[in-house]
Amino acid sequence: MIFRQLFDAVSGTYTYLLASRRGGEALIIDPVQEKVDRYIQLVNELELRLVKAVDTHLHADHITGLGALRDRTQCVTVMGEQSKVDVVSMRLAEGDKLTIEGMALDVLYTPGHTDDSYCFAMADRVFTGDTLLIRGTGRTDFQNGDPRAQFDSIFNKLLRLPDETLVFPAHDYKGETVSTIGEERSFNPRLRVKSVDEYVALMNGLNLPNPKMMDVAVPANMRVGLAQEEIARRGWAIGADEAVMLIGRADAVLIDLREPRERAKHGVIPGSLHAPYPELAANVRSGGMLNELARATGKRIVFYCAFGERSAMAVQAAQEAGLASARHIQGGMDAWSKAGGPVSR
Ligand SMILES: [Fe+2]
């Protein structure tokens, strides 16, 4: 396994780069915008292909690197389903898996620091975001924080992991880099409370100043979405209402870019084909499956995904590959369902 812990000294943020092998797919957790050049350099040096960028929660202390990484690598951006961020490409929920080639992380919904906080667990380690820090816990006094929920997330989810599980948090301000679940259970002063009420009183009494970057970071991080408006302005988008009319039409083919897990959970548009986003480049280039399909049949390719982000990137790639009739469904399956489009499971 390839594992790198990267640090942003300005915000005290840890960012993690993961891959199962050199030359394979990579995942990045909690990237910082100012460090994006460094991440991309490292990804190239290790001959990796960045396919997913994930935030554990909506950050208040730095601007996320999700948008910049997506724009530069066409990776999929991922957050939890509770997140108020305008558009991320893929949303996860408790019990889902966060997967790349050769790796599958368990998705744990751990509200408390914020109501969109998630942790990601592997066999030997857990990425705890700001839910559990080394000898500390993330503050709960803004962004719908809730000390009672955090107590539950920590005691009933994280501390149930094996004692030797390595803890990799999203922040540290004292130079600590890693801990274990057993160590935190024994020595984390915030966890040495006798009841949830004692924890709530402790957290409510912290009286911390707001993060310096908060007024900048929170609004910026709410707008991670790709400018789907720009794709629409070029005439490459079809509204969900209009797309419903395409069902059963002989001159169009709907292409689902999502992962099998998303399709199983949220259903598919009847009659659509599956061509997963990671294989997009191979599929749209000359000789590729979708390129051949469009040229041989004259059918219009209409991409869709969960929220219209991956499909917006796909329609751009298809146009660049010469498929001038390619379109995408703006807002994806989310908009499709809201428009009353049929869904088969
Ligand atoms: Fe945070």
Side-chain angles (χ1 to χ4, degrees):
M1 180 174 81
I2 292 172
F3 172 75
R4 292 288 185 280
Q5 182 177 34
L6 301 145
F7 188 58
D8 173 50
V10 177
S11 59
T13 303
Y14 284 125
T15 300
Y16 300 95
L17 180 70
L18 291 160
S20 64
R21 63 178 178 91
R22 202 180 172 97
E25 292 184 351
L27 163 75
I28 197 163
I29 298 175
D30 287 331
V32 176
Q33 189 185 46
E34 285 74 15
K35 292 283 186 285
V36 160
D37 285 341
R38 170 64 186 134
Y39 307 144
I40 289 178
Q41 183 191 354
L42 183 59
V43 162
N44 290 336
E45 286 164 351
L46 299 175
E47 297 166 9
L48 299 172
R49 203 153 44 86
L50 186 67
V51 296
K52 283 183 183 161
V54 189
D55 268 350
T56 50
H57 62 287
L58 178 70
H59 295 285
D61 60 345
H62 66 268
I63 296 177
T64 175
L66 254 56
L69 285 169
R70 174 205 53 211
D71 292 345
R72 291 178 55 183
T73 70
Q74 283 72 54
C75 68
V76 172
T77 51
V78 185
M79 286 187 80
E81 65 180 7
Q82 291 79 5
S83 184
K84 310 279 190 303
V85 170
D86 57 353
V87 187
V88 287
S89 303
M90 184 184 291
R91 288 176 183 270
L92 298 171
E94 169 77 22
D96 284 349
K97 297 269 189 199
L98 172 60
T99 56
I100 57 168
E101 174 205 355
M103 293 184 124
L105 284 72
D106 291 322
V107 174
L108 309 175
Y109 178 45
T110 52
H113 170 58
T114 63
D115 61 355
D116 69 347
S117 287
Y118 277 77
C119 296
F120 303 106
M122 296 171 61
D124 67 339
R125 66 195 66 199
V126 59
F127 301 97
T128 55
D130 289 357
T131 301
L132 178 61
L133 305 175
I134 299 174
R135 308 301 191 264
T137 56
R139 62 193 297 173
T140 55
D141 56 339
F142 58 68
Q143 291 186 283
N144 301 316
D146 178 349
R148 204 165 284 276
Q150 192 177 45
F151 181 93
D152 183 59
S153 295
I154 294 172
F155 281 86
N156 295 323
K157 282 192 183 155
L158 296 179
L159 294 189
R160 293 203 173 161
L161 296 169
D163 270 358
E164 60 278 16
T165 309
L166 298 169
V167 171
F168 287 104
H171 289 292
D172 193 86
Y173 308 100
K174 302 181 297 287
E176 304 275 354
T177 54
V178 61
S179 179
T180 66
I181 288 291
E183 241 178 84
E184 292 310 309
R185 178 188 288 106
S186 300
F187 305 117
N188 189 322
R190 295 256 175 97
L191 306 187
R192 303 178 97 174
V193 289
K194 290 179 191 66
S195 66
V196 60
D197 291 329
E198 194 183 330
Y199 187 76
V200 171
L202 171 68
M203 294 307 286
N204 287 344
L206 292 176
N207 291 320
L208 298 167
N210 280 344
K212 288 191 279 299
M213 285 278 285
M214 185 168 169
D215 294 338
V216 178
V218 171
N221 290 341
M222 294 289 280
R223 291 190 303 272
V224 176
L226 180 71
Q228 285 192 44
E229 295 75 23
E230 174 57 24
I231 296 292
R233 202 185 55 73
R234 294 182 202 171
W236 299 342
I238 299 175
D241 293 312
E242 201 187 329
V244 174
M245 319 284 195
L246 293 174
I247 287 198
R249 285 254 303 260
D251 59 346
V253 57
L254 288 156
I255 304 291
D256 186 359
L257 297 165
R258 294 170 303 159
E259 296 185 355
R261 190 174 295 275
E262 297 175 275
R263 288 160 54 82
K265 188 166 173 181
H266 301 289
V268 304
I269 296 179
S272 61
L273 301 181
H274 186 210
Y277 181 75
E279 290 150 38
L280 179 77
N283 281 334
V284 297
R285 72 171 159 248
S286 180
M289 187 263 284
L290 294 177
N291 195 301
E292 288 296 305
L293 177 70
R295 290 187 196 284
T297 64
K299 285 182 200 272
R300 157 170 298 192
I301 300 277
V302 182
F303 294 106
Y304 74 96
C305 60
F307 300 98
E309 288 282 294
R310 279 169 282 183
S311 58
M313 293 193 281
V315 78
Q316 192 152 1
Q319 292 284 342
E320 283 163 12
L323 303 178
S325 70
R327 298 290 182 272
H328 87 122
I329 300 179
Q330 189 153 8
M333 239 1 227
D334 184 52
W336 174 270
S337 301
K338 285 175 185 154
V343 174
S344 58
R345 289 175 190 273

